[in-house]
Amino acid sequence: MTTDSTTMTENMMTALGLDRPESGDDTVVPFTLDKLDTRGRSVRLGDSLDTILNRHNYPAPVARLLGEAVVLASLIGSSLKFDGKFIMQTQTDGPVNLIVVDFDAPDGLRGYARFDHDALLRAAEEGRTKPSELLGNGHLAMTIDQGAHTERYQGIVALQGNSLEEVAHTYFMQSEQIPTQVRLAVAEFTKKGDHRPHWRAGGVLIQHLPEHGGTRVADLPGDGNFDNPDHNFVEADGWNEAKVHLSTLDDLELADPDLSSERLLFRLYHETGVRVFAPMPMVERCTCSPDRIEDMLATNFTAEDREEMAVDGEIEVVCEFCSTAYHFNPNQFEAKH
């Protein structure tokens, strides 16, 4: 027998998006905090991240930093409403001088980090292994590529010893004028019977996006410095409350393999209410292929260049992302191209 209270509970669960099994690893869960004029996404990465980080056997500090970048790219790239690519890249003067993460919509992830081994060793010996210390000074670029016959959109923000969380806040405020808060965490977990630890990560991104006509950012300070006491910038109460709750998250909760996005969000926002949507899968997938590499060699290099590249009559190209090796005969291009 179905009672009115049972029906009401079922309707409420449906409205909140909780009438389904909890999502697991390698998913992004969109959500809204309607009472707080806030929307966001929560990501949990397991096997996909572990594959990316273990493929190159990165030292632990580099792996954690690249892991944070992969989580951030997942949170931002999963908002794309079209087939295309979101590319996040840092170029800095620190021990980890290059990070590239590609999000191939709707669900593909790949990432790569380049580091100076000697500089990293010195930093480790001196205890300088925080993300800001590994990155140093430089910039972070975020690029949206919708494919052929379209213009790329790119936003660039200075990276001056800041964490990726802080850089994301600055990017959205300066480039998009959207108040944004991000939490990222990467950790290694070992379960009984595992032959090695496994990398995993979690992250949450929230943005103040009122739907009832309010401005996203009121009275932006002209100097862009929100700590300047000479301006009257006031954030909405709902947005402040959403940020306060997010700030209570610790790294263990974000990376906990037994804590789903739905359970985490309910733990954070059950008092104000949270509505979650269907999870979006994330997979480790490289976009390299023999045809793409061959076309690159034919288009960007002359016959003389290709002859110089050849070793024992063969050109070898190794993908920096997935480490797949491709081999070509330098003479094959003349006939085909």
Side-chain angles (χ1 to χ4, degrees):
M1 179 177 179
T2 303
T3 64
D4 290 341
S5 60
T6 301
T7 301
M8 185 178 299
T9 301
E10 291 176 350
N11 290 340
M12 182 178 297
M13 294 292 284
T14 300
L16 295 177
L18 298 174
D19 58 334
R20 58 173 173 78
E22 297 176 39
S23 61
D25 283 345
D26 300 317
T27 57
V28 172
V29 175
F31 65 92
T32 62
L33 308 171
D34 296 327
K35 292 182 179 179
L36 305 182
D37 286 331
T38 297
R39 287 176 253 173
R41 290 177 293 282
S42 172
V43 63
R44 320 292 280 183
L45 296 179
D47 289 346
S48 61
L49 181 69
D50 191 58
T51 299
I52 291 171
L53 299 186
N54 272 293
R55 179 173 281 134
H56 293 279
N57 195 28
Y58 293 110
V62 179
R64 288 192 180 92
L65 185 56
L66 176 56
E68 287 190 5
V70 173
V71 174
L72 182 57
S74 302
L75 289 168
I76 299 174
S78 59
S79 66
L80 296 180
K81 305 300 182 184
F82 50 82
D83 289 337
K85 184 175 288 189
F86 171 77
I87 306 162
M88 189 172 73
Q89 178 173 324
T90 67
Q91 286 189 306
T92 62
D93 61 4
V96 183
N97 50 59
L98 176 70
I99 292 176
V100 183
V101 181
D102 287 355
F103 178 88
D104 189 33
D107 57 6
L109 282 171
R110 65 177 188 168
Y112 169 75
R114 186 181 68 200
F115 62 95
D116 183 317
H117 184 272
D118 293 336
L120 182 67
L121 185 60
R122 288 194 299 270
E125 291 173 347
E126 297 168 4
R128 296 183 292 105
T129 57
K130 294 179 180 178
S132 58
E133 295 166 329
L134 294 178
L135 289 169
N137 298 320
H139 69 267
L140 179 144
M142 298 189 187
T143 305
I144 296 176
D145 184 354
Q146 298 185 55
H149 312 300
T150 62
E151 290 188 13
R152 284 187 168 194
Y153 167 81
Q154 185 175 75
I156 298 176
V157 63
L159 214 171
Q160 299 175 327
N162 298 320
S163 68
L164 290 180
E165 290 181 357
E166 293 175 357
V167 171
H169 303 162
T170 303
Y171 169 81
F172 279 102
M173 189 62 75
Q174 291 183 353
S175 299
E176 310 293 338
Q177 294 193 2
I178 302 175
T180 301
Q181 202 77 8
V182 177
R183 281 287 286 113
L184 309 170
V186 179
E188 284 184 291
F189 280 81
T190 303
K191 292 185 177 181
K192 187 176 181 179
D194 286 346
H195 66 281
R196 64 168 178 83
H198 292 268
W199 289 102
R200 56 178 299 103
V204 178
L205 176 149
I206 58 174
Q207 295 182 312
H208 182 51
L209 295 166
E211 297 180 348
H212 47 67
T215 58
R216 290 178 176 175
V217 180
D219 303 322
L220 273 174
D223 58 5
N225 179 9
F226 292 87
D227 297 322
N228 186 340
D230 295 330
H231 65 70
N232 298 316
F233 178 75
V234 178
E235 292 186 323
D237 291 340
W239 173 238
N240 274 324
E241 185 173 351
K243 289 197 301 179
V244 167
H245 286 297
L246 185 64
S247 69
T248 65
L249 265 180
D250 61 38
D251 289 355
L252 182 59
E253 287 179 293
L254 278 169
D256 189 342
D258 298 319
L259 188 61
S260 67
S261 286
E262 292 84 356
R263 196 175 295 270
L264 177 69
L265 293 170
F266 183 77
R267 178 184 293 183
L268 282 177
Y269 296 111
H270 65 277
E271 293 182 356
T272 58
V274 56
R275 184 158 50 104
V276 299
F277 299 94
M280 306 161 58
M282 297 287 113
V283 298
E284 183 277 326
R285 182 176 67 239
C286 193
T287 56
C288 70
S289 70
D291 289 341
R292 288 190 175 189
I293 302 297
E294 183 179 15
D295 185 62
M296 179 272 295
L297 290 171
T299 304
N300 299 334
F301 299 94
T302 65
E304 290 75 16
D305 292 333
R306 293 190 291 269
E307 285 292 340
E308 292 180 2
M309 293 179 190
V311 176
D312 296 330
E314 188 176 67
I315 299 174
E316 180 182 70
V317 179
V318 179
C319 176
E320 291 183 325
F321 290 94
C322 68
S323 299
T324 300
Y326 297 93
H327 298 91
F328 302 91
N329 185 321
N331 298 319
Q332 73 185 70
F333 298 90
E334 299 301 323
K336 189 169 184 179
H337 297 274

